[in-house]
Amino acid sequence: MSPRVFDCIAYLIEHRDRAVGRDELMASVWGRADIADTQLGQVVLRARRAAGDSGDAQLAIRTVVGFGYRWVAETVEDDTDAALPADPAPDPAPVPVAPAARRVPLIVLALLLVAAGALGWTVHNGRQADPTPVAAAPAPVVATGRTIAITPARVDATAEWDWLRLGAMELIAGRLRGAGQIVIPSENVIALAQAAPDPRALADAVHAALHPRWIVASTFLKADAGWIVRLQLRAHGHETREFQGQADDAIRAAGLATAQLLATLGAPADAAAAPPDALEEWLSRIDAAVLVEDLDSARQLLRNVPEAMRTRPALRLRQAEVDFTAGQNEAAAAALQDLLDGLPAESDVLVHARAVALTAAVQVRLGRAAEAEHSATKALALLEGHDAPALIGKSFMRRGVARARLGRADEALADLAQARIALQLAGDTLGIALVELNEGALSGIRNQPAEALASFVRAEAHFRPFGASSELAIALTNQVVAHRALLQPDQALAASERSLALLGHLANVESTQLVEVRRAQALADVGQWREAEARLDSLARAPDLEQQLELAATVANERARIALARGQPEVALGLVQPLIERLTAREFAGNRLECWETVIRALHALDRDAEAATAATALAEWARHADDRSFTARLRLVEAGQAERAGRFDEADDRYGAALAAAGQEGVPADIAQVAIAYATALLARGDITRAVPVAGRLDRYASRSYDAAVVQVRLYRALRQAEAWRRALDNARALAGERPIPADLAIEPGALVIGPALPPAGQR
């Protein structure tokens, strides 16, 4: 157990009478509170493991959503002095493999809010495995026929050499890549190793998920005469070949064994057999620490590198990568700029390209989309003619995300398609999954929820074998968004149910909150108000909610939606009205529109029509400057509602028609249903049954799964005095209602039908 893990457990036990906030726990373990959430999550995960606990069970350490953690295991104080064992033997256990949730830092960004509510599509921006998406049963990654997967080494030596377990992966991979071989990025293998630590099980998992042509397993043995390194080259279902190197130095022995392996593959072996550079061991140690996100150890190693080596470009690049992994983006940007200022491209093209490509990733994180596009383009130019498909794929992906941020969706999709091809050649399944994720987000932005859903389902299937919790959270919560846009509440609920299994495994608090809010939305959609409100209330009490304006707006709007449905318009108004003037930034436009819609509905319910008219005028003025075509249907619907309240029925019909046309052009079921429900309800309230029939008819396809559409159907059949059809519709609405009350007047059986044209009440036309 590391000192920080011990301190974490000790502090939680000492304060087990209460929940401990994240900042307080950080201060107790690190001595300061400005620690990345990923680092705290990593320590908590290890603390749970040390206590025999897990994120699923939470029998010892319970996550207090939006706040921190609490020790909950039964605990007995023992004042007896315990003797410590003398001279404890060094722990020979291998370096633990980090779960994928800690491997890629997460930034969750809502790119657009779809008309059906706070439906923000989420993308993923990672560290070295960058933005992406996936589909149903995952299509296998068809590698080039020469990809190599390298598994963690078995190290038979004292604990000081444990770093070789993962460091050797990057060491051998570097030698193989230098000879023109395609080596699958180590992140893929490490993620699989978390779920399959046994070497035989890991080999099967690697074959199933990554489809390499060869797997290389290594053994490092420290003997009296020096080091013996054995490499085993395995092709699935074929005989294993073994190569051995022996030298005073572990890296030299590994190089000799790798040279033999390359000779067997018919590849140049001179570079692999060359004596090791003194920096190579330091880089391998740092890489091993970064692969498990032990960033403190990585930083300590960087500080310990001999002074003469500290100016080497490869080492300076590692420093920037550590900063980026830790979420210290400004520091990473500065380090990369300093490196590139003194690094001519011709000196080391691949190091230069890696630095420029990482610069693009940092700029994406910092919201500098135009600069990120430029950097990614420059990286791709540097890589032209080089056999580096993984880096080429990541560069295309980063440029695609930058172009998506710049509103150039077609170019972004083209870049993501090229990223997919390059990552396919690299055998980078995790990278391809991230491409799928971003393609799905782009489809969502383009109001294509069915295409988005297919990508997110594929993403889920690809990520599951890797135990990639953060990425799975994005795939599943985006599925909730897509299902809601498609008016599929049961499927949205099922996707949110699957996401609950990730709670406790997510090192990033924003990911946890995203799971919680999507679960609450899915519950509210099926009328499970009590549980939805409990989750929303918990999120609303999160101590850092004021710093997360988008989440605050989403939570407030969802709570207000339930309050309006409960007949509590004052409560709804109080929840959302104060947010309108805070949501002025462009990225919050969708949230702001929804707040305005809720305010106007609440004011109507309170018969405060003059205030509603003022709010609608302000909304129209803001929308004119926002100039977002995706809001057209919702804006026309607000105008129609205002005209309806004022008795200007011709104007209302015109606006309802325009809203229906706009929604139909986009083709998103939730938008179409929202407009048709409002228009049909208005026509029925006027008594204009004849014109209500075709509008309500648009809802027939949704009435079996949408409660609001089902209620309109009940109203229509009751107005038509069709008792049998009314009865079936009422049964359907009751089945969908959950905790929502059926309006009392709809439960009264209709009388006999009066034959003749339906006319509006006198004086209304």
Side-chain angles (χ1 to χ4, degrees):
M1 194 187 304
S2 73
R4 287 207 170 110
V5 172
F6 180 88
D7 290 346
C8 175
I9 293 174
Y11 195 81
L12 289 173
I13 291 175
E14 184 180 0
H15 299 280
R16 61 189 180 278
D17 58 317
R18 60 178 176 86
V20 175
R22 291 195 311 277
D23 288 349
E24 180 185 350
L25 189 56
M26 289 174 183
S28 73
V29 175
W30 279 272
R32 64 186 198 276
D34 59 337
I35 301 299
D37 283 332
T38 51
Q39 291 180 262
L40 176 61
Q42 175 182 338
V43 168
V44 172
L45 285 168
R46 290 177 176 170
R48 281 184 170 135
R49 193 178 303 138
D53 194 11
S54 70
D56 286 332
Q58 297 197 21
L59 298 176
I61 300 174
R62 181 171 298 160
T63 300
V64 181
V65 176
F67 182 70
Y69 303 93
R70 183 173 183 177
W71 182 268
V72 294
E74 183 177 350
T75 307
V76 177
E77 293 191 18
D78 184 356
D79 295 330
T80 305
D81 291 333
L84 293 174
D87 299 320
D91 182 3
V95 176
V97 177
R102 300 204 306 267
R103 188 178 39 74
V104 184
L106 173 68
I107 295 182
V108 176
L109 298 172
L111 296 187
L112 187 77
L113 295 173
V114 182
L119 300 181
W121 303 99
T122 304
V123 298
H124 187 279
N125 299 324
R127 104 176 131 99
Q128 304 200 30
D130 246 58
T132 21
V134 197
V141 176
V142 182
T144 61
R146 61 189 183 98
T147 55
I148 300 172
I150 302 174
T151 57
R154 188 170 72 84
V155 182
D156 188 354
T158 54
E160 65 182 295
W161 297 101
D162 281 350
W163 64 269
L164 279 168
R165 182 171 182 265
L166 302 182
M169 294 176 68
E170 289 298 280
L171 172 69
I172 297 167
R175 299 286 180 108
L176 292 176
R177 290 188 185 111
Q181 301 303 300
I182 304 298
V183 181
I184 293 172
S186 298
E187 291 92 340
N188 290 260
V189 178
I190 288 175
L192 292 170
Q194 174 64 21
D198 174 75
R200 188 178 299 277
L202 176 58
D204 291 342
V206 167
H207 276 297
L210 303 178
H211 308 277
R213 181 170 182 182
W214 296 288
I215 292 180
V216 173
S218 60
T219 301
F220 283 68
L221 172 65
K222 182 79 165 65
D224 292 339
W227 284 88
I228 298 172
V229 175
R230 297 188 182 95
L231 302 183
Q232 290 185 322
L233 181 69
R234 305 169 184 165
H236 198 49
H238 292 78
E239 183 180 350
T240 297
R241 301 286 301 276
E242 188 169 294
F243 311 94
Q244 179 172 304
Q246 186 167 354
D248 293 339
D249 177 83
I251 293 178
R252 171 69 170 152
L256 294 172
T258 304
Q260 296 174 41
L261 185 154
L262 285 168
T264 298
L265 297 178
D270 294 344
D277 184 334
L279 183 61
E280 197 167 9
E281 179 177 333
W282 287 102
L283 295 177
S284 298
R285 285 177 176 266
I286 294 165
D287 288 341
V290 171
L291 281 170
V292 293
E293 284 206 9
D294 185 356
L295 302 184
D296 289 336
S297 295
R299 291 190 190 283
Q300 186 61 50
L301 287 164
L302 285 163
R303 287 192 290 269
N304 291 343
V305 172
E307 188 70 35
M309 301 180 191
R310 292 184 184 177
T311 58
R312 299 276 291 274
L315 188 73
R316 295 168 67 193
L317 178 59
R318 292 306 195 284
Q319 176 67 65
E321 288 172 344
V322 169
D323 288 337
F324 182 58
T325 304
Q328 298 176 359
N329 301 309
E330 294 288 0
L336 287 165
Q337 187 61 57
D338 186 55
L339 169 60
L340 289 169
D341 285 345
L343 182 66
E346 62 273 12
S347 61
D348 188 329
V349 174
L350 287 180
V351 169
H352 194 119
R354 280 179 63 184
V356 175
L358 184 60
T359 298
V362 173
Q363 289 164 338
V364 165
R365 278 211 192 157
L366 292 172
R368 304 171 186 168
E371 296 174 42
E373 181 192 24
H374 175 76
S375 296
T377 300
K378 182 179 178 181
L380 288 167
L382 288 167
L383 290 166
E384 190 171 345
H386 289 271
D387 197 1
L391 187 55
I392 290 170
K394 291 168 187 174
S395 298
F396 270 120
M397 186 156 45
R398 290 162 181 167
R399 192 172 74 176
V401 171
R403 286 175 167 175
R405 302 277 176 83
L406 293 169
R408 288 150 51 191
D410 290 338
E411 292 175 80
L413 284 171
D415 277 342
L416 292 174
Q418 294 195 76
R420 180 192 294 274
I421 292 170
L423 294 168
Q424 189 96 358
L425 294 174
D428 189 350
T429 301
L430 277 175
I432 291 170
L434 286 171
V435 169
E436 287 269 16
L437 209 55
N438 284 329
E439 285 177 340
L442 274 172
S443 294
I445 290 170
R446 293 155 67 95
N447 268 359
Q448 298 169 339
E451 290 82 352
L453 178 62
S455 288
F456 299 140
V457 171
R458 288 193 298 270
E460 178 190 1
H462 274 293
F463 283 131
R464 281 212 177 275
F466 296 93
S469 299
S470 294
E471 294 88 340
L472 271 172
I474 295 174
L476 287 166
T477 53
N478 276 348
Q479 285 179 43
V480 175
V481 172
H483 283 304
R484 295 186 78 210
L486 292 166
L487 272 189
Q488 297 170 342
D490 288 343
Q491 292 93 323
L493 190 68
S496 72
E497 182 75 33
R498 294 198 300 279
S499 73
L500 293 181
L502 302 174
L503 295 177
H505 296 281
L506 299 168
N508 185 288
V509 68
E510 287 81 9
S511 299
T512 298
Q513 291 169 333
L514 190 64
V515 168
E516 290 284 359
V517 77
R518 297 301 181 220
R519 176 64 174 172
Q521 289 176 317
L523 288 164
D525 286 347
V526 296
Q528 296 185 31
W529 282 349
R530 285 191 295 273
E531 186 179 348
E533 286 177 312
R535 291 180 181 276
L536 292 167
D537 291 348
S538 177
L539 285 165
R541 291 192 298 270
D544 55 353
L545 191 65
E546 287 299 307
Q547 283 71 52
Q548 300 180 65
L549 192 51
E550 184 177 18
L551 177 67
T554 302
V555 169
N557 268 306
E558 206 60 41
R559 295 171 76 197
R561 181 165 75 105
I562 297 173
L564 276 175
R566 287 190 184 277
Q568 301 168 338
E570 283 282 9
V571 173
L573 192 63
L575 285 167
V576 295
Q577 196 169 39
L579 288 169
I580 290 177
E581 294 312 313
R582 297 179 59 200
L583 295 164
T584 54
R586 182 177 178 82
E587 61 264 32
F588 303 137
N591 295 91
R592 196 176 201 209
L593 172 58
E594 187 174 23
C595 284
W596 247 314
E597 291 171 324
T598 305
V599 164
I600 292 167
R601 285 197 299 271
L603 290 170
H604 284 164
L606 292 165
D607 292 325
R608 291 157 59 176
D609 289 358
E611 293 175 65
T614 300
T617 301
L619 168 59
E621 179 63 20
W622 167 76
R624 186 172 63 82
H625 292 291
D627 191 29
D628 193 325
R629 291 177 57 191
S630 68
F631 296 162
T632 301
R634 295 165 69 180
L635 293 169
R636 298 295 84 80
L637 189 56
V638 169
E639 293 167 356
Q642 284 300 109
E644 188 78 26
R645 292 283 297 189
R648 302 190 302 270
F649 298 114
D650 287 336
E651 180 186 340
D653 289 339
D654 178 67
R655 295 294 184 269
Y656 280 127
L660 270 178
Q665 188 172 10
E666 293 292 338
V668 178
D671 296 354
I672 295 169
Q674 183 183 22
V675 178
I677 288 166
Y679 192 14
T681 301
L683 289 169
L684 288 169
R686 296 183 211 164
D688 196 344
I689 301 172
T690 302
R691 297 176 65 218
V693 169
V695 178
R698 290 177 174 245
L699 299 171
D700 275 352
R701 73 184 71 178
Y702 310 127
S704 63
R705 58 185 193 261
S706 164
Y707 169 75
D708 292 326
V711 168
V712 169
Q713 202 172 57
V714 178
R715 289 189 187 281
L716 177 66
Y717 290 132
R718 190 174 187 281
L720 289 170
R721 302 185 186 181
Q722 296 291 324
E724 188 57 38
W726 161 81
R727 193 172 293 110
R728 289 196 301 270
L730 183 60
D731 288 343
N732 176 52
R734 283 171 170 159
L736 296 171
E739 297 164 30
R740 293 169 286 201
I742 301 289
D745 62 309
L746 296 187
I748 302 171
E749 185 167 350
L753 176 64
V754 177
I755 304 298
L759 297 174
Q764 288 192 358
R765 302 293 296 168

